[in-house]
Amino acid sequence: MSDSSPDRLAAHPFPMARQCPFTAPAQYAALRAEAPVSRVTLPTGRTAWVVTGYHEVRAVLADPRVSADIRHPNFPALVAGEQEVGARTRPFIRMDPPEHTRFRRMLLAEMTVRKSRRMRRDIQRIVDDRIDELLAYGPPVDLVTHYAHAVSSTVMCELIGVRRADAAFRRITGTLGSQVFGGGASTAEGASEGIGALSSVIDDVIAERERTPGDDLCSRLVAEQLRTGRVGREELVTTLAILVVAGWETTTNQIALSVLALLERPELIEELRRDHSVLPAAVEELLRALSVGDSIALRTATEDIEIGGHTIPAGEGIIPLLAAANHDPEIFSEPDVIDFGRAEKQHVAFSYGVHQCVGQNIARLELNLAIGTLLDRIPTLRAAVPADAVRFRHEGIAFGPEQVLVTW
């Protein structure tokens, strides 16, 4: 076992920028070559440990001695104010079992593969409507705003029972954005204001569903959880808010970055067009390669734990890097290559363990329909600007492009 005490190891600055948007930061490979665990300095001034090996990342995410509770003093928040706001709102993704288990079970019952498949027709309608709007708008058009964001936000809002034409939807659209979950909310006050406005909208939706139930997630949770006393009103508001934002932000970035990656590799698009059955495998490979939610799994050690031959002391922050795990050459051959026929498929893009993404079944369906339908309906789609001119957001809940101008 090596000595990993803070005074013996230099701390690297974190987060680390991607040199290529379609793979993990190059520094991850360098860190992994030295050791699967490395000390870093965060923008808040705190130090933490990043984990870069595939097996080590999975071990951390499955270890009950590693806590997701945002209230720990050394929780490795990446944005000033994130911990303060999170400690007040207590989103379930920043809780530990058994508290976390109660909310997870509540949502898992609504996110099964079978229930997700029943959403296929609705998601296909949303995708088709957004493509109709794209074609009517005419090129050049920003794929992030007018397609990826429009699709993912509409899916999440309709899931909980907010129709796109509703005033509540427009208020959510005006409130949400990257400033709420890390992009521009550099202070506790800014983040708290955005989350408070979103919570107010969600609370209005809950009140409406109490009066007039519908066939949607919010109505079912009101009937089965809120009215039975299994969950409090504020808890339900926070749970729905984090569900909307997490699903909205990550899927927006995954759609936009996936399409951009495919436009850079026309042979991959041709492969999909020759054989549509390849699409599900292609989506899994794009999830692995792009890993947009790289550093979403923020943790704290509750005991001294040994990871990859290093001891992380109790109370110190840990960040298992999903992109690093998904590009570990010990597991994935030529990890920087996007290969739809890849044999190794056990990626951790949706995390791992008890905090694995509760909405992954819906996300997979949405990605398959959004990417496949776009390429089918606009066969001459191409980038309007070179990839090296695209600006990317390296902060926030997910990595992705700020704008992708396309034409056809």
Side-chain angles (χ1 to χ4, degrees):
M1 183 188 308
S2 64
D3 183 355
S4 61
S5 60
D7 59 343
R8 292 291 301 274
L9 295 175
H12 305 270
F14 187 86
M16 299 167 180
R18 302 188 184 201
Q19 289 73 32
C20 170
F22 311 126
T23 188
Q27 295 96 319
Y28 289 5
L31 291 178
R32 192 190 305 108
E34 294 177 5
V37 179
S38 307
R39 264 184 95 233
V40 295
T41 301
L42 307 177
T44 59
R46 290 179 182 169
T47 58
W49 300 87
V50 294
V51 185
T52 49
Y54 177 87
H55 291 300
E56 291 79 8
V57 164
R58 282 170 54 114
V60 167
L61 292 171
D63 195 322
R65 300 169 299 171
V66 176
S67 171
D69 195 328
I70 199 168
R71 297 172 298 179
H72 284 290
N74 284 324
F75 181 83
L78 301 180
V79 177
E82 178 183 354
Q83 187 174 19
E84 292 83 351
V85 171
R88 291 198 298 268
T89 59
R90 298 297 317 284
F92 74 96
I93 64 169
R94 301 302 187 205
M95 296 177 181
D96 293 329
E99 190 179 20
H100 166 265
T101 309
R102 179 165 62 98
F103 294 98
R104 183 172 179 83
R105 284 177 178 166
M106 176 178 77
L107 293 175
L108 275 178
E110 295 289 338
M111 304 284 180
T112 62
V113 172
R114 191 174 79 169
K115 286 195 174 182
S116 298
R117 286 174 178 165
R118 283 156 64 182
M119 292 182 63
R120 185 181 189 93
R121 182 180 297 177
D122 288 334
I123 296 176
Q124 185 67 67
R125 168 183 51 78
I126 291 167
V127 166
D128 285 333
D129 287 349
R130 301 296 81 77
I131 294 176
D132 288 344
E133 291 174 0
L134 270 186
L135 294 171
Y137 189 88
V141 64
D142 174 23
L143 199 72
V144 176
T145 301
H146 295 283
Y147 187 65
H149 172 83
V151 167
S152 61
S153 61
T154 308
V155 168
M156 293 312 300
C157 286
E158 288 201 10
L159 174 67
I160 68 167
V162 180
R163 294 294 170 181
R164 189 169 188 255
D166 289 351
F169 180 92
R170 293 195 297 273
R171 288 169 60 194
I172 289 177
T173 303
T175 298
L176 285 183
S178 46
Q179 79 275 11
V180 175
F181 268 72
S186 57
T187 67
E189 292 77 14
S192 181
E193 182 180 347
I195 293 172
L198 170 61
S199 297
S200 176
V201 172
I202 297 293
D203 191 57
D204 290 345
V205 175
I206 291 172
E208 175 61 27
R209 294 305 173 267
E210 286 178 308
R211 294 189 297 269
T212 312
D215 183 20
D216 52 67
L217 175 65
C218 185
S219 295
R220 289 188 292 273
L221 293 181
V222 165
E224 299 167 13
Q225 304 291 330
L226 183 61
R227 285 181 173 165
T228 60
R230 294 174 182 171
V231 66
R233 190 182 194 88
E234 187 173 346
E235 290 176 324
L236 183 57
V237 168
T238 302
T239 300
L240 288 174
I242 192 67
L243 184 68
V244 169
V245 175
W248 181 337
E249 189 79 0
T250 54
T251 311
T252 292
N253 284 281
Q254 184 69 40
I255 292 171
L257 194 57
S258 294
V259 174
L260 183 60
L262 292 173
L263 293 178
E264 287 294 297
R265 295 276 305 277
E267 70 276 12
L268 294 178
I269 296 178
E270 289 307 311
E271 185 177 348
L272 290 175
R273 286 183 175 143
R274 283 196 306 271
D275 183 0
H276 283 197
S277 69
V278 173
L279 185 58
V283 166
E284 293 303 316
E285 175 66 348
L286 289 165
L287 284 163
R288 179 203 68 83
L290 305 181
S291 295
V292 300
D294 178 24
S295 56
I296 195 173
L298 306 176
R299 302 289 188 265
T300 309
T302 59
E303 301 177 19
D304 290 358
I305 59 173
E306 183 182 349
I307 303 173
H310 290 259
T311 298
I312 296 180
E316 299 210 355
I318 309 173
I319 307 175
L321 296 173
L322 305 183
N326 284 336
H327 287 81
D328 187 340
E330 292 290 322
I331 306 298
F332 303 99
S333 59
E334 297 185 283
D336 293 345
V337 175
I338 297 176
D339 177 7
F340 295 162
R342 180 176 296 280
E344 316 94 350
K345 300 184 184 298
Q346 298 301 312
H347 64 75
V348 291
F350 288 116
S351 193
Y352 183 74
V354 297
H355 282 275
Q356 192 171 31
C357 176
V358 71
Q360 62 181 290
N361 294 321
I362 293 174
R364 283 187 166 99
L365 177 59
E366 188 177 341
L367 291 167
N368 273 270
L369 294 176
I371 295 169
T373 307
L374 181 70
L375 297 178
D376 279 347
R377 290 195 55 192
I378 312 182
T380 59
L381 187 73
R382 64 185 188 278
V385 297
D388 57 11
V390 177
R391 294 177 57 184
F392 295 89
R393 293 188 297 109
H394 294 269
E395 301 83 17
I397 196 172
F399 173 83
E402 292 183 2
Q403 183 184 68
V404 177
L405 290 176
V406 294
T407 187
W408 53 87

